[in-house]
Amino acid sequence: MINFLDFQPMHAQIRQEMQEVFQRVYDSYWYIQGKELDLFEKEYAQLSKTKYSIGVSNGLDALVLSLRVLGIGPGDEVIVPSNTYIATALAVSHVGATPIFVEPRMETYNINPDLIPLAITKKTKAIMPVHLYGQACEMDAIIGIAKAHNLYMVEDNAQAHLSSFKGQQTGSFGDVNGTSFYPGKNLGALGDAGAVTTNNEDLANRIKTIRNYGSAVKYYNEEIGYNNRLDELQAAFLRVKLNYLQEWTNQRKEIAQWYNEGLQLRNDLVLPYVHENADHVYHLYVVRTSNREKLQQELTEKGIQTMIHYPVPPHLQKAYKHLGYKQGDFPIAEEIARTCLSLPVWPGIQREVIKKL
Ligand SMILES: *Cc1c(COP(=O)(O)O)cnc(C)c1O
């Protein structure tokens, strides 16, 4: 059986380095907010092509902190795609604001810029584009709208490390941007981790303060902060994996190409469509079919495990019942949820597996 995700090839490749890192941190006797975090933040900022990166506890916290430093809170509205992973909307809810859902394009599965202006009200404070599955959103159009309406932009870059639009890297467009290093993400820790990226020094410093109890100087607290820190061990593991991200991303793209070739004659499937100006780093390789159960069954029989990203859009989740949405309110998101299927795309997967299709 080919698992949907298998770390074995990646982790075999870096086994030695990771063990050395463990020993280095173990023997440093320093486990929180030390050298590894400082170096990781420098290295991740460099990789993201932003001035600053701030390591935090996970992707959700990265997004919450991003909204919070922009002063977004109760009474405010934030535009998010209707087909995103729930965490994007949860971040908005956690600062006390309201997520306003905007439908994606059926072709790219990314937020449709043409529909954003229709959702803007006097309460709108920010747009949160999500580079879903690894494909960059149409950032030129989204930036244009944000500027025209004087809105902040916060990218959710959890699925799109190293992706780009017209050559500019995702996670470098917004005022502040959040990303996740959940193990299964393209850059993943060995536990929970995340980061905020920004070019704004003041915002970067405030995020550093808030993530550490609101304290810049030990035992002096400037505001009511959280514990949103990223520990030394995870930062050190991520520093190793950073160096392999480009290679692993190339492998993901190659695997996607194998699927595209192998599946091109199947007219019962809709294959991923990549916008002409967007890069796609294939965090997920998602196809659509009107008969998903049958396809999933067929693939299981061929020994290939698949997953659904995501079966229920945020507006139909019980958690968002109070917003009063019903089935049919966001038909494109609902159609994607009904028909999408993700095929395994982890670095190291063998071409033979795909040939079996
Ligand atoms: C994974 C993910 C998150 C949340 O990241 P965590 O580290 O799991 O909190 C947020 N948004 C998107 C789009 C994600 O895929």
Side-chain angles (χ1 to χ4, degrees), residues 57-61 63 84-88 130-132 156-159 179-182 185 192-194 283 310:
S57 34
N58 57 61
L60 174 59
D61 288 344
L63 296 170
T84 187
Y85 177 57
I86 190 84
T88 322
V130 181
H131 310 293
L132 202 69
D156 179 341
N157 198 35
Q159 303 194 354
T179 193
S180 165
F181 307 119
Y182 179 80
K185 298 289 156 79
D192 275 313
H283 171 57
Y310 300 90

Side-chain angles (χ1 to χ4, degrees), residues 197-259:
T197 53
T198 181
N199 288 315
N200 183 315
E201 187 178 5
D202 290 340
L203 293 178
N205 287 335
R206 263 202 73 209
I207 291 164
K208 283 189 177 182
T209 304
I210 300 173
R211 79 163 166 199
N212 187 36
Y213 303 122
S215 162
V217 177
K218 207 171 168 76
Y219 305 131
Y220 291 83
N221 299 79
E222 294 158 36
E223 60 182 307
I224 298 176
Y226 300 99
N227 177 351
N228 287 142
R229 296 177 306 225
L230 170 61
D231 66 74
E232 287 289 282
L233 206 44
Q234 294 305 338
F237 289 143
L238 282 165
R239 291 185 61 214
V240 172
K241 285 192 156 188
L242 261 183
N243 297 321
Y244 295 86
L245 183 60
Q246 186 64 62
E247 178 187 330
W248 290 339
T249 302
N250 295 345
Q251 283 188 50
R252 286 176 182 276
K253 290 182 180 185
E254 189 179 14
I255 295 160
Q257 226 28 64
W258 295 343
Y259 277 127

